[in-house]
Amino acid sequence: MSLALRIALLLVFLLAGGLMLLLASASASSSALDDIYPWLIGASIAVALVMAGLAIGVVIRVWRRFRQGAFGTRIMVRLAIAFALIGVVPVALVSFVSAQFLARTIDSWFSHGVNVALESGVSLGRTSLDGLQSEAMTKARRLAIALEDLPGSQMISAIEKVIDGREGVDVLVLTGSGSVVASRSAQLTTLVPELPPPEALSRARAARQYVAVEPTQGNRDRGLQVRAIAMSARMTALGEETRFVQWIEQVPIALTRNLEALNDGVRDYEQLALGKQGLRKLYGITLLLTLLLAFFGALLSAVLLSGWLAGPLRQLERATKAVASGDYRPLRYDPKSNDELNVLVGSFNEMTAQLNEAREIAQRSRLRLEESNLFLQQVLGHLSAGVMIMDSQWRLMDFNASAERILAYELGPEKLRPLSLVPVLGSCSEQLTRGLQDREDIQFQHETFQENGTALTLLVSGSRLPGKAPQYVVIFDDIGELLSAQRSRDFAEMARRLAHEIKNPLTPIQLSAERMERRLLDRLGPEDAELVGRSTRTIVNQVMALKAMVDEFRNYARLPAPNPQPVELGRLLQEIQTLYGGDKRIQWPSANSDCWVSVDRAQAIQVVHNLIQNAQDAIIEQPEGNIRLMLETVSSTKPGQMGLASKKIRLAVIDNGPGISLEARAKLFEPYFTSKTKGSGLGLAIVKKIVEENHGRVSLVNRTEVWPGDVSGAVAFVEFAKLENASDNSAVIAENQSRHG
């Protein structure tokens, strides 16, 4: 709820409270606020309407939020209803009881007993006054009779005798013309009592007497007095003389006051009796306005109080949602008090702060773990050796890319399968499991075959990882090329030594045989001379063959270091094509000027010649034999490079010969191995050595392995990394072309 609305509600509450106090005061009898009572009623109605509007607006707002399912509105509605009932029900009961009490009280005010009591009081007062009047009239007549025959000088004593010491009695004797004959005053300061009014004398002359109760003349505080006038006649010498005797006696002060109170009460009672219904309405309106103000005030107070109580709960709800979504930052909440709910919010803030700190620590740990895992994955991905992780049951859990490359098999579907069922490595599973039962690691050499029949020589290492449920790591690497390189190196060293040892005696043997032929041919007979000549030629031919073989050994052992330079293989093949122009069985690739590689030019020419010669030897006995050269750009992904591809230039030499047998596949590139009837078996070994020293790759497979369903034959692939920015190599190419003619 906004601050302006709260201030407005506070002002309305204060105004309503003030109006309720003023109404309570104005409802009392003889209140000073009687004149402004209608204004108070109007102001109270206006304030009640304002509070009703505010209450309705607040209730509608809360109801909308309740319909929308906003958090906290349900408990807010329940609390508001509970607080409103707690505040309204007692006020309603008190108002109802008050209304009933006032109705019965007002009825009791105007009951028959009250009327009888008031009438009896009035009659009693009137009787008391009548008695005083009768007594005063009797005294006046008696005095008049007593004074009829007395002269004026004796009247005073006669008056005192009649008064007989009574206080508060004034006596005045008048003639018919109004002359004072005698007087007696109760006040020492007054010599002559007050004269009767002309009206009183007229009435006394007419009725021969007059009596009345009247206020004391000149001093209202003295109360009432009884005036009695008696008329008498006296016979004189002149005739009959009329006299008036006035008797004035003060009514007792207590009686006067009681009579005045009785008159006031009767007058008020008569006024109340006339406004009985209006009085009921007056108190009814006052109670109704009080009830309305209390009801709306209680309702607004209940909503405000429930909103104040639900505020921390909404803060907790937002905080729990934030925590559920992963936001552990503490609430930005400034409590206005230190009650239990705000203490709960503060405790929640402390908890979320601790959770945030713990999450940050866990996040840092997770990042470090991810970095470690990423580093480990990169290390495993860049390893040339295959790595496989097995669980305690020797089931495959994880592996690196090199494992699939070495085994030439997709290991993804093999996850959670026992090692014994994994292709290629299944044959050594028993040796691994048995070896790691009592030891923590094991290493051995294992020879097997890939799915395509290619022979593999693996160096297998197994280790047991510590833990409650031990896991195993199996590391293997294809050491076939390593063994082949080792054999090539050993053969090269042996060939170098043999060439040195063999070539030295060959020349003397050849010279000696030729010398023997020259010396003995002339001395022997025809038959012996023919034998010597044939033997000598045999010795010389065999020596020449040995020299050729020694030269090949020397060339393999002393292959010069490559001198890499930018070479465009398409142009190089066009140059080589001129050397085979007469052979129609060779199909050369079309011109391609974007096959730049960095190789030794002379060695590259030697590689092409050897591969073509090997293909020619394969189709020598086939009339329909042919050779096809292909040059293309391919993409190659290195193990552990996360899908990063590099471009390569691939040269393919394809023949339709008999192909490669399974027995010969593992030894194709080994020195001194050949399946032909002639040759030293060093051609492919020299090709492999040249290609590898120029950072390339060579392979020899059957055509059906590359193109299933194709005819028989073999394919030799040679791959070199492609050079980018071919335009930068034009100067180098021009120099090479000028140097090589």
Side-chain angles (χ1 to χ4, degrees):
M1 188 175 293
S2 63
L3 180 61
L5 183 56
R6 292 182 180 179
I7 295 175
L9 288 176
L10 179 60
L11 294 177
V12 169
F13 285 154
L14 294 176
L15 182 59
L19 286 174
M20 290 175 67
L21 294 176
L22 293 176
L23 279 175
S25 300
S27 299
S29 61
S30 67
S31 173
L33 302 175
D34 289 346
D35 296 336
I36 63 172
Y37 185 79
W39 296 97
L40 292 177
I41 293 294
S44 300
I45 294 175
V47 172
L49 292 176
V50 171
M51 294 185 69
L54 292 175
I56 293 173
V58 171
V59 169
I60 291 175
R61 179 182 178 184
V62 173
W63 179 252
R64 286 178 179 175
R65 296 186 62 188
F66 178 80
R67 292 291 299 273
Q68 293 173 358
F71 182 84
T73 53
R74 295 182 180 274
I75 189 172
M76 186 175 178
V77 169
R78 293 177 182 176
L79 290 175
I81 293 175
F83 292 151
L85 290 177
I86 292 173
V88 170
V89 170
V91 175
L93 291 176
V94 171
S95 299
F96 176 76
V97 173
S98 300
Q100 296 297 321
F101 175 76
L102 286 175
R104 296 180 183 275
T105 302
I106 292 174
D107 290 338
S108 66
W109 291 350
F110 303 100
S111 63
H112 178 70
V114 175
N115 290 330
V116 171
L118 288 177
E119 291 177 357
S120 299
V122 171
S123 298
L124 180 62
R126 187 176 294 112
T127 302
S128 298
L129 290 178
D130 289 344
L132 290 175
Q133 289 178 354
S134 176
E135 183 181 0
M137 194 66 225
T138 301
K139 294 290 184 181
R141 282 197 298 266
R142 185 183 299 172
L143 184 59
I145 294 171
L147 295 178
E148 283 184 355
D149 298 328
L150 291 179
S153 58
Q154 297 179 3
M155 289 184 181
I156 299 300
S157 58
I159 293 172
E160 292 293 340
K161 185 179 179 179
V162 174
I163 292 175
D164 194 17
R166 295 179 66 173
E167 296 181 357
V169 177
D170 292 338
V171 178
L172 182 65
V173 181
L174 300 172
T175 63
S177 61
S179 299
V180 177
V181 178
S183 65
R184 190 263 182 187
S185 178
Q187 302 293 330
L188 296 178
T189 58
T190 304
L191 295 177
V192 179
E194 61 177 294
L195 297 175
E199 181 182 358
L201 289 176
S202 299
R203 293 178 64 181
R205 186 177 286 114
R208 299 189 66 84
Q209 65 177 9
Y210 171 80
V211 65
V213 177
E214 58 186 20
T216 303
Q217 295 293 329
N219 190 355
R220 301 280 298 181
D221 295 336
R222 293 182 62 186
L224 299 176
Q225 63 183 11
V226 179
R227 184 188 298 270
I229 301 175
M231 188 181 75
S232 66
R234 177 174 176 264
M235 299 303 294
T236 63
L238 298 176
E240 187 178 5
E241 182 183 6
T242 302
R243 290 182 180 180
F244 293 96
V245 178
Q246 176 182 263
W247 180 282
I248 298 176
E249 186 176 357
Q250 299 294 325
V251 178
I253 299 300
L255 180 60
T256 302
R257 291 177 179 173
N258 289 333
L259 290 175
E260 289 179 354
L262 181 60
N263 290 331
D264 291 340
V266 172
R267 185 171 54 251
D268 292 341
Y269 178 78
E270 290 176 350
Q271 291 178 356
L272 290 175
L274 293 175
K276 178 180 179 181
Q277 297 300 325
L279 188 62
R280 285 184 176 180
K281 292 181 179 179
L282 172 68
Y283 286 112
I285 291 174
T286 303
L287 287 176
L288 179 60
L289 289 176
T290 304
L291 177 62
L292 289 177
L293 291 175
F295 172 76
F296 292 125
L299 183 59
L300 290 173
S301 300
V303 174
L304 290 176
L305 183 59
S306 60
W308 172 70
L309 291 176
L313 297 179
R314 284 194 295 269
Q315 296 292 332
L316 286 177
E317 186 265 344
R318 285 195 290 267
T320 52
K321 283 187 177 180
V323 170
S325 63
D327 185 3
Y328 293 91
R329 292 175 298 178
L331 287 173
R332 293 183 179 179
Y333 180 63
D334 186 16
K336 300 298 187 297
S337 62
N338 293 326
D339 55 77
E340 287 77 3
L341 287 177
N342 289 318
V343 170
L344 179 61
V345 175
S347 301
F348 190 86
N349 272 343
E350 293 179 1
M351 181 191 70
T352 53
Q354 295 175 359
L355 287 176
N356 190 31
E357 183 179 359
R359 187 188 67 165
E360 290 179 353
I361 295 175
Q363 184 74 8
R364 289 194 294 268
S365 301
R366 185 179 62 82
L367 290 177
R368 287 195 295 268
L369 181 60
E370 288 180 355
E371 291 176 356
S372 300
N373 291 336
L374 181 60
F375 176 75
L376 180 60
Q377 289 179 1
Q378 290 179 347
V379 170
L380 292 177
H382 285 79
L383 285 177
S384 60
V387 179
M388 297 172 61
I389 307 298
M390 318 298 293
D391 63 4
S392 58
Q393 303 298 323
W394 283 95
R395 293 176 299 188
L396 179 61
M397 300 296 295
D398 203 358
F399 56 89
N400 66 345
S402 296
E404 292 184 325
R405 177 183 56 81
I406 294 174
L407 300 179
Y409 188 82
E410 186 177 356
L411 293 175
E414 302 297 328
K415 276 192 174 183
L416 299 179
R417 296 188 64 185
L419 178 63
S420 59
L421 300 180
V422 177
V424 183
L425 282 181
S427 56
C428 66
S429 61
E430 184 178 356
Q431 186 176 359
L432 274 172
T433 55
R434 194 172 58 247
L436 290 177
Q437 285 179 352
D438 302 323
R439 290 181 295 175
E440 292 187 355
D441 50 36
I442 187 176
Q443 186 176 22
F444 57 89
Q445 185 173 323
H446 177 66
E447 293 185 359
T448 183
F449 292 92
Q450 293 179 345
E451 290 292 317
N452 57 10
T454 304
L456 278 179
T457 301
L458 301 178
L459 181 63
V460 183
S461 299
S463 298
R464 182 173 56 190
L465 302 177
K468 294 182 180 180
Q471 293 182 339
Y472 303 93
V473 56
V474 178
I475 304 174
F476 54 92
D477 198 1
D478 183 8
I479 60 173
E481 294 184 358
L482 179 62
L483 295 177
S484 177
Q486 185 176 359
R487 286 194 296 268
S488 298
R489 186 178 65 253
D490 294 340
F491 184 80
E493 181 64 21
M494 181 188 67
R496 184 182 62 80
R497 293 181 180 181
L498 286 177
H500 177 74
E501 296 295 334
I502 294 175
K503 191 173 184 179
N504 287 335
L506 288 180
T507 301
I509 292 174
Q510 179 181 357
L511 294 175
S512 298
E514 291 176 349
R515 188 180 301 112
M516 288 176 60
E517 182 182 10
R518 287 194 302 270
R519 291 284 184 92
L520 296 176
L521 284 179
D522 297 336
R523 298 178 183 181
L524 298 175
E527 185 177 351
D528 293 334
E530 182 182 359
L531 177 61
V532 170
R534 189 170 58 251
S535 300
T536 301
R537 286 192 299 273
T538 300
I539 293 173
V540 172
N541 290 335
Q542 294 301 320
V543 167
M544 294 298 293
L546 284 174
K547 282 186 177 182
M549 184 179 297
V550 169
D551 288 338
E552 290 183 0
F553 285 165
R554 183 184 60 190
N555 291 336
Y556 178 78
R558 295 181 180 179
L559 190 67
N563 181 25
Q565 55 184 328
V567 174
E568 208 285 305
L569 286 184
R571 297 178 183 177
L572 183 66
L573 292 179
Q574 290 179 356
E575 296 176 6
I576 298 175
Q577 181 179 358
T578 58
L579 303 177
Y580 296 89
D583 194 343
K584 302 299 183 180
R585 296 182 300 175
I586 302 177
Q587 301 177 12
W588 298 87
S590 59
N592 192 342
S593 60
D594 191 26
C595 296
W596 292 91
V597 294
S598 177
V599 296
D600 187 300
R601 181 183 178 85
Q603 292 181 354
I605 294 174
Q606 184 178 356
V607 167
V608 175
H609 281 308
N610 285 350
L611 292 178
I612 293 177
Q613 182 62 47
N614 190 68
Q616 288 177 336
D617 293 340
I619 63 172
I620 192 171
E621 297 180 357
Q622 295 187 7
E624 301 296 331
N626 62 80
I627 301 171
R628 180 161 52 95
L629 277 71
M630 293 177 56
L631 195 61
E632 58 183 348
T633 302
V634 296
S635 296
S636 176
T637 303
K638 294 182 179 180
Q641 291 298 318
M642 303 297 180
L644 296 178
S646 59
K647 292 184 178 181
K648 294 182 177 296
I649 302 300
R650 175 189 289 174
L651 171 63
V653 180
I654 309 169
D655 65 71
N656 59 349
I660 306 169
S661 64
L662 184 61
E663 296 79 7
R665 176 169 301 203
K667 300 179 180 180
L668 284 176
F669 297 102
E670 290 185 3
Y672 209 67
F673 172 80
T674 180
S675 58
K676 297 178 290 186
T677 56
K678 61 177 182 177
S680 62
L682 293 177
L684 290 179
I686 293 175
V687 167
K688 182 178 181 182
K689 188 173 183 181
I690 291 175
V691 171
E692 289 179 349
E693 289 184 355
N694 282 271
H695 307 290
R697 181 183 177 186
V698 61
S699 60
L700 192 60
V701 296
N702 288 321
R703 292 179 63 171
T704 55
E705 297 178 21
V706 182
W707 302 287
D710 200 358
V711 298
S712 62
V715 183
F717 290 111
V718 178
E719 294 180 357
F720 295 105
K722 182 179 180 181
L723 285 180
E724 302 295 339
N725 300 324
S727 59
D728 298 338
N729 304 317
S730 57
V732 179
I733 290 301
E735 181 180 354
N736 292 336
Q737 288 179 347
S738 62
R739 184 168 54 196
H740 294 284

